[in-house]
PDB file of all heavy atoms in Angstrom:
ATOM      1  N   GLN A 363      26.691   9.682  39.864  1.00  0.00           N
ATOM      2  CA  GLN A 363      26.592   8.955  41.132  1.00  0.00           C
ATOM      3  C   GLN A 363      26.325   7.475  40.882  1.00  0.00           C
ATOM      4  O   GLN A 363      25.539   7.105  40.008  1.00  0.00           O
ATOM      5  CB  GLN A 363      25.460   9.544  41.993  1.00  0.00           C
ATOM      6  CG  GLN A 363      25.801  10.878  42.639  1.00  0.00           C
ATOM      7  CD  GLN A 363      24.554  11.647  43.023  1.00  0.00           C
ATOM      8  OE1 GLN A 363      23.678  11.902  42.190  1.00  0.00           O
ATOM      9  NE2 GLN A 363      24.472  12.024  44.280  1.00  0.00           N
ATOM     10  N   LEU A 364      26.962   6.633  41.696  1.00  0.00           N
ATOM     11  CA  LEU A 364      26.709   5.194  41.655  1.00  0.00           C
ATOM     12  C   LEU A 364      25.432   4.924  42.442  1.00  0.00           C
ATOM     13  O   LEU A 364      25.325   5.301  43.607  1.00  0.00           O
ATOM     14  CB  LEU A 364      27.883   4.457  42.303  1.00  0.00           C
ATOM     15  CG  LEU A 364      27.733   2.948  42.479  1.00  0.00           C
ATOM     16  CD1 LEU A 364      27.727   2.228  41.139  1.00  0.00           C
ATOM     17  CD2 LEU A 364      28.856   2.401  43.365  1.00  0.00           C
ATOM     18  N   ALA A 366      23.457   2.316  44.404  1.00  0.00           N
ATOM     19  CA  ALA A 366      23.721   1.029  45.048  1.00  0.00           C
ATOM     20  C   ALA A 366      22.491   0.650  45.855  1.00  0.00           C
ATOM     21  O   ALA A 366      21.958   1.467  46.604  1.00  0.00           O
ATOM     22  CB  ALA A 366      24.942   1.136  45.963  1.00  0.00           C
ATOM     23  N   ALA A 367      22.011  -0.588  45.678  1.00  0.00           N
ATOM     24  CA  ALA A 367      20.802  -0.996  46.393  1.00  0.00           C
ATOM     25  C   ALA A 367      20.878  -2.476  46.712  1.00  0.00           C
ATOM     26  O   ALA A 367      21.388  -3.271  45.922  1.00  0.00           O
ATOM     27  CB  ALA A 367      19.561  -0.692  45.563  1.00  0.00           C
ATOM     28  N   ASP A 369      18.521  -5.834  48.423  1.00  0.00           N
ATOM     29  CA  ASP A 369      17.305  -6.420  48.985  1.00  0.00           C
ATOM     30  C   ASP A 369      16.072  -5.538  48.823  1.00  0.00           C
ATOM     31  O   ASP A 369      15.282  -5.402  49.758  1.00  0.00           O
ATOM     32  CB  ASP A 369      17.527  -6.730  50.476  1.00  0.00           C
ATOM     33  CG  ASP A 369      18.592  -7.810  50.656  1.00  0.00           C
ATOM     34  OD1 ASP A 369      18.797  -8.583  49.712  1.00  0.00           O
ATOM     35  OD2 ASP A 369      19.210  -7.856  51.724  1.00  0.00           O
ATOM     36  N   THR A 378      18.431  12.258  39.239  1.00  0.00           N
ATOM     37  CA  THR A 378      18.762  13.303  38.271  1.00  0.00           C
ATOM     38  C   THR A 378      19.696  14.297  38.958  1.00  0.00           C
ATOM     39  O   THR A 378      19.976  14.170  40.146  1.00  0.00           O
ATOM     40  CB  THR A 378      17.509  14.055  37.777  1.00  0.00           C
ATOM     41  OG1 THR A 378      16.997  14.860  38.854  1.00  0.00           O
ATOM     42  CG2 THR A 378      16.435  13.094  37.316  1.00  0.00           C
ATOM     43  N   ASP A 379      20.125  15.300  38.192  1.00  0.00           N
ATOM     44  CA  ASP A 379      21.058  16.280  38.759  1.00  0.00           C
ATOM     45  C   ASP A 379      20.552  16.906  40.049  1.00  0.00           C
ATOM     46  O   ASP A 379      21.328  17.174  40.950  1.00  0.00           O
ATOM     47  CB  ASP A 379      21.299  17.417  37.743  1.00  0.00           C
ATOM     48  CG  ASP A 379      22.241  16.969  36.646  1.00  0.00           C
ATOM     49  OD1 ASP A 379      22.986  16.011  36.875  1.00  0.00           O
ATOM     50  OD2 ASP A 379      22.211  17.568  35.563  1.00  0.00           O
ATOM     51  N   ASP A 380      19.258  17.120  40.144  1.00  0.00           N
ATOM     52  CA  ASP A 380      18.791  17.848  41.327  1.00  0.00           C
ATOM     53  C   ASP A 380      17.735  17.124  42.158  1.00  0.00           C
ATOM     54  O   ASP A 380      17.264  17.681  43.151  1.00  0.00           O
ATOM     55  CB  ASP A 380      18.299  19.255  40.941  1.00  0.00           C
ATOM     56  CG  ASP A 380      17.165  19.218  39.939  1.00  0.00           C
ATOM     57  OD1 ASP A 380      16.821  18.116  39.470  1.00  0.00           O
ATOM     58  OD2 ASP A 380      16.610  20.288  39.631  1.00  0.00           O
ATOM     59  N   VAL A 382      16.447  13.082  43.782  1.00  0.00           N
ATOM     60  CA  VAL A 382      16.512  11.623  43.931  1.00  0.00           C
ATOM     61  C   VAL A 382      15.114  11.170  44.318  1.00  0.00           C
ATOM     62  O   VAL A 382      14.587  11.582  45.357  1.00  0.00           O
ATOM     63  CB  VAL A 382      17.511  11.203  45.025  1.00  0.00           C
ATOM     64  CG1 VAL A 382      17.452   9.689  45.252  1.00  0.00           C
ATOM     65  CG2 VAL A 382      18.926  11.631  44.664  1.00  0.00           C
ATOM     66  N   VAL A 384      12.347   8.088  45.099  1.00  0.00           N
ATOM     67  CA  VAL A 384      12.175   6.681  45.474  1.00  0.00           C
ATOM     68  C   VAL A 384      10.702   6.444  45.785  1.00  0.00           C
ATOM     69  O   VAL A 384      10.108   7.159  46.601  1.00  0.00           O
ATOM     70  CB  VAL A 384      13.017   6.309  46.718  1.00  0.00           C
ATOM     71  CG1 VAL A 384      12.825   4.835  47.071  1.00  0.00           C
ATOM     72  CG2 VAL A 384      14.496   6.609  46.500  1.00  0.00           C
ATOM     73  N   PRO A 386       7.436   2.995  45.465  1.00  0.00           N
ATOM     74  CA  PRO A 386       7.120   1.660  44.946  1.00  0.00           C
ATOM     75  C   PRO A 386       6.490   1.771  43.559  1.00  0.00           C
ATOM     76  O   PRO A 386       5.689   2.678  43.306  1.00  0.00           O
ATOM     77  CB  PRO A 386       6.088   1.113  45.943  1.00  0.00           C
ATOM     78  CG  PRO A 386       6.123   2.040  47.122  1.00  0.00           C
ATOM     79  CD  PRO A 386       6.588   3.358  46.607  1.00  0.00           C
ATOM     80  N   ARG A 389       2.868   2.201  43.210  1.00  0.00           N
ATOM     81  CA  ARG A 389       2.335   3.507  43.608  1.00  0.00           C
ATOM     82  C   ARG A 389       2.922   4.606  42.733  1.00  0.00           C
ATOM     83  O   ARG A 389       3.039   5.763  43.161  1.00  0.00           O
ATOM     84  CB  ARG A 389       2.656   3.779  45.082  1.00  0.00           C
ATOM     85  CG  ARG A 389       2.202   2.698  46.035  1.00  0.00           C
ATOM     86  CD  ARG A 389       0.711   2.717  46.246  1.00  0.00           C
ATOM     87  NE  ARG A 389       0.317   3.863  47.038  1.00  0.00           N
ATOM     88  CZ  ARG A 389      -0.922   4.324  47.109  1.00  0.00           C
ATOM     89  NH1 ARG A 389      -1.878   3.757  46.384  1.00  0.00           N
ATOM     90  NH2 ARG A 389      -1.225   5.348  47.865  1.00  0.00           N
ATOM     91  N   GLN A 392       1.837   8.173  42.466  1.00  0.00           N
ATOM     92  CA  GLN A 392       2.068   9.110  43.563  1.00  0.00           C
ATOM     93  C   GLN A 392       3.103  10.177  43.223  1.00  0.00           C
ATOM     94  O   GLN A 392       3.277  11.128  43.988  1.00  0.00           O
ATOM     95  CB  GLN A 392       2.508   8.366  44.826  1.00  0.00           C
ATOM     96  CG  GLN A 392       1.404   7.569  45.480  1.00  0.00           C
ATOM     97  CD  GLN A 392       0.227   8.435  45.862  1.00  0.00           C
ATOM     98  OE1 GLN A 392      -0.776   8.474  45.153  1.00  0.00           O
ATOM     99  NE2 GLN A 392       0.353   9.167  46.939  1.00  0.00           N
TER     100      GLN A 392
ATOM    101  N   GLN B 341      20.794  17.819  45.989  1.00  0.00           N
ATOM    102  CA  GLN B 341      19.645  17.150  45.364  1.00  0.00           C
ATOM    103  C   GLN B 341      18.482  17.043  46.354  1.00  0.00           C
ATOM    104  O   GLN B 341      18.685  16.767  47.534  1.00  0.00           O
ATOM    105  CB  GLN B 341      20.041  15.747  44.892  1.00  0.00           C
ATOM    106  CG  GLN B 341      20.898  15.746  43.633  1.00  0.00           C
ATOM    107  CD  GLN B 341      21.676  14.449  43.480  1.00  0.00           C
ATOM    108  OE1 GLN B 341      22.412  14.036  44.377  1.00  0.00           O
ATOM    109  NE2 GLN B 341      21.526  13.806  42.333  1.00  0.00           N
ATOM    110  N   LEU B 342      17.275  17.251  45.839  1.00  0.00           N
ATOM    111  CA  LEU B 342      16.070  17.048  46.643  1.00  0.00           C
ATOM    112  C   LEU B 342      15.763  15.551  46.676  1.00  0.00           C
ATOM    113  O   LEU B 342      15.635  14.920  45.636  1.00  0.00           O
ATOM    114  CB  LEU B 342      14.900  17.801  45.992  1.00  0.00           C
ATOM    115  CG  LEU B 342      13.519  17.596  46.622  1.00  0.00           C
ATOM    116  CD1 LEU B 342      13.454  18.232  48.013  1.00  0.00           C
ATOM    117  CD2 LEU B 342      12.435  18.199  45.724  1.00  0.00           C
ATOM    118  N   ALA B 344      13.051  12.921  47.171  1.00  0.00           N
ATOM    119  CA  ALA B 344      11.588  12.863  47.159  1.00  0.00           C
ATOM    120  C   ALA B 344      11.164  11.405  47.212  1.00  0.00           C
ATOM    121  O   ALA B 344      11.690  10.574  46.469  1.00  0.00           O
ATOM    122  CB  ALA B 344      11.045  13.524  45.889  1.00  0.00           C
ATOM    123  N   ALA B 345      10.243  11.077  48.118  1.00  0.00           N
ATOM    124  CA  ALA B 345       9.833   9.681  48.243  1.00  0.00           C
ATOM    125  C   ALA B 345       8.372   9.611  48.646  1.00  0.00           C
ATOM    126  O   ALA B 345       7.885  10.431  49.416  1.00  0.00           O
ATOM    127  CB  ALA B 345      10.702   8.962  49.265  1.00  0.00           C
ATOM    128  N   ASP B 347       5.172   6.757  49.826  1.00  0.00           N
ATOM    129  CA  ASP B 347       4.667   5.421  50.157  1.00  0.00           C
ATOM    130  C   ASP B 347       5.771   4.399  50.384  1.00  0.00           C
ATOM    131  O   ASP B 347       5.663   3.254  49.947  1.00  0.00           O
ATOM    132  CB  ASP B 347       3.724   4.931  49.045  1.00  0.00           C
ATOM    133  CG  ASP B 347       2.490   5.814  48.965  1.00  0.00           C
ATOM    134  OD1 ASP B 347       2.156   6.446  49.972  1.00  0.00           O
ATOM    135  OD2 ASP B 347       1.876   5.876  47.894  1.00  0.00           O
ATOM    136  N   THR B 356      25.042  10.771  48.709  1.00  0.00           N
ATOM    137  CA  THR B 356      26.300  11.514  48.840  1.00  0.00           C
ATOM    138  C   THR B 356      26.706  12.010  47.455  1.00  0.00           C
ATOM    139  O   THR B 356      26.036  11.716  46.469  1.00  0.00           O
ATOM    140  CB  THR B 356      27.434  10.625  49.399  1.00  0.00           C
ATOM    141  OG1 THR B 356      27.809   9.658  48.394  1.00  0.00           O
ATOM    142  CG2 THR B 356      26.991   9.891  50.652  1.00  0.00           C
ATOM    143  N   ASP B 357      27.816  12.740  47.407  1.00  0.00           N
ATOM    144  CA  ASP B 357      28.266  13.296  46.133  1.00  0.00           C
ATOM    145  C   ASP B 357      28.384  12.244  45.042  1.00  0.00           C
ATOM    146  O   ASP B 357      28.092  12.523  43.884  1.00  0.00           O
ATOM    147  CB  ASP B 357      29.639  13.953  46.301  1.00  0.00           C
ATOM    148  CG  ASP B 357      29.517  15.302  46.992  1.00  0.00           C
ATOM    149  OD1 ASP B 357      28.415  15.878  46.961  1.00  0.00           O
ATOM    150  OD2 ASP B 357      30.509  15.760  47.575  1.00  0.00           O
ATOM    151  N   ASP B 358      28.810  11.035  45.416  1.00  0.00           N
ATOM    152  CA  ASP B 358      29.070  10.074  44.347  1.00  0.00           C
ATOM    153  C   ASP B 358      28.300   8.763  44.464  1.00  0.00           C
ATOM    154  O   ASP B 358      28.468   7.888  43.623  1.00  0.00           O
ATOM    155  CB  ASP B 358      30.580   9.797  44.201  1.00  0.00           C
ATOM    156  CG  ASP B 358      31.191   9.248  45.481  1.00  0.00           C
ATOM    157  OD1 ASP B 358      30.465   9.174  46.489  1.00  0.00           O
ATOM    158  OD2 ASP B 358      32.374   8.892  45.467  1.00  0.00           O
ATOM    159  N   VAL B 360      24.296   6.902  45.571  1.00  0.00           N
ATOM    160  CA  VAL B 360      22.932   6.891  46.101  1.00  0.00           C
ATOM    161  C   VAL B 360      22.664   5.471  46.589  1.00  0.00           C
ATOM    162  O   VAL B 360      22.699   4.528  45.801  1.00  0.00           O
ATOM    163  CB  VAL B 360      21.904   7.282  45.021  1.00  0.00           C
ATOM    164  CG1 VAL B 360      20.483   7.128  45.563  1.00  0.00           C
ATOM    165  CG2 VAL B 360      22.143   8.706  44.539  1.00  0.00           C
ATOM    166  N   VAL B 362      20.167   2.696  48.545  1.00  0.00           N
ATOM    167  CA  VAL B 362      18.797   2.382  48.973  1.00  0.00           C
ATOM    168  C   VAL B 362      18.766   0.937  49.454  1.00  0.00           C
ATOM    169  O   VAL B 362      19.182   0.026  48.719  1.00  0.00           O
ATOM    170  CB  VAL B 362      17.786   2.560  47.817  1.00  0.00           C
ATOM    171  CG1 VAL B 362      16.367   2.251  48.294  1.00  0.00           C
ATOM    172  CG2 VAL B 362      17.847   3.974  47.244  1.00  0.00           C
ATOM    173  N   PRO B 364      16.516  -1.776  52.658  1.00  0.00           N
ATOM    174  CA  PRO B 364      15.613  -1.797  53.807  1.00  0.00           C
ATOM    175  C   PRO B 364      16.416  -1.723  55.111  1.00  0.00           C
ATOM    176  O   PRO B 364      17.490  -2.324  55.210  1.00  0.00           O
ATOM    177  CB  PRO B 364      14.923  -3.166  53.699  1.00  0.00           C
ATOM    178  CG  PRO B 364      15.257  -3.695  52.346  1.00  0.00           C
ATOM    179  CD  PRO B 364      16.536  -3.055  51.934  1.00  0.00           C
ATOM    180  N   ARG B 367      17.674  -4.769  56.681  1.00  0.00           N
ATOM    181  CA  ARG B 367      18.778  -5.434  55.983  1.00  0.00           C
ATOM    182  C   ARG B 367      19.999  -4.516  55.913  1.00  0.00           C
ATOM    183  O   ARG B 367      20.817  -4.624  54.994  1.00  0.00           O
ATOM    184  CB  ARG B 367      18.341  -5.823  54.566  1.00  0.00           C
ATOM    185  CG  ARG B 367      17.088  -6.673  54.511  1.00  0.00           C
ATOM    186  CD  ARG B 367      17.315  -8.088  54.964  1.00  0.00           C
ATOM    187  NE  ARG B 367      18.091  -8.833  53.986  1.00  0.00           N
ATOM    188  CZ  ARG B 367      18.739  -9.956  54.251  1.00  0.00           C
ATOM    189  NH1 ARG B 367      18.711 -10.454  55.477  1.00  0.00           N
ATOM    190  NH2 ARG B 367      19.411 -10.585  53.310  1.00  0.00           N
ATOM    191  N   GLN B 370      23.506  -5.384  54.941  1.00  0.00           N
ATOM    192  CA  GLN B 370      23.833  -5.703  53.547  1.00  0.00           C
ATOM    193  C   GLN B 370      24.717  -4.642  52.904  1.00  0.00           C
ATOM    194  O   GLN B 370      25.210  -4.838  51.797  1.00  0.00           O
ATOM    195  CB  GLN B 370      22.555  -5.882  52.719  1.00  0.00           C
ATOM    196  CG  GLN B 370      21.807  -7.152  53.038  1.00  0.00           C
ATOM    197  CD  GLN B 370      22.664  -8.384  52.850  1.00  0.00           C
ATOM    198  OE1 GLN B 370      23.199  -8.953  53.799  1.00  0.00           O
ATOM    199  NE2 GLN B 370      22.847  -8.782  51.603  1.00  0.00           N
TER     200      GLN B 370
END
Side-chain angles (χ1 to χ4, degrees):
Chain A
Q363 285 159 305
L364 174 68
D369 295 336
T378 70
D379 283 338
D380 59 355
V382 174
V384 181
R389 306 286 288 163
Q392 288 302 100
Chain B
Q341 285 159 305
L342 174 68
D347 296 336
T356 70
D357 284 339
D358 59 355
V360 174
V362 181
R367 305 287 288 161
Q370 288 303 100

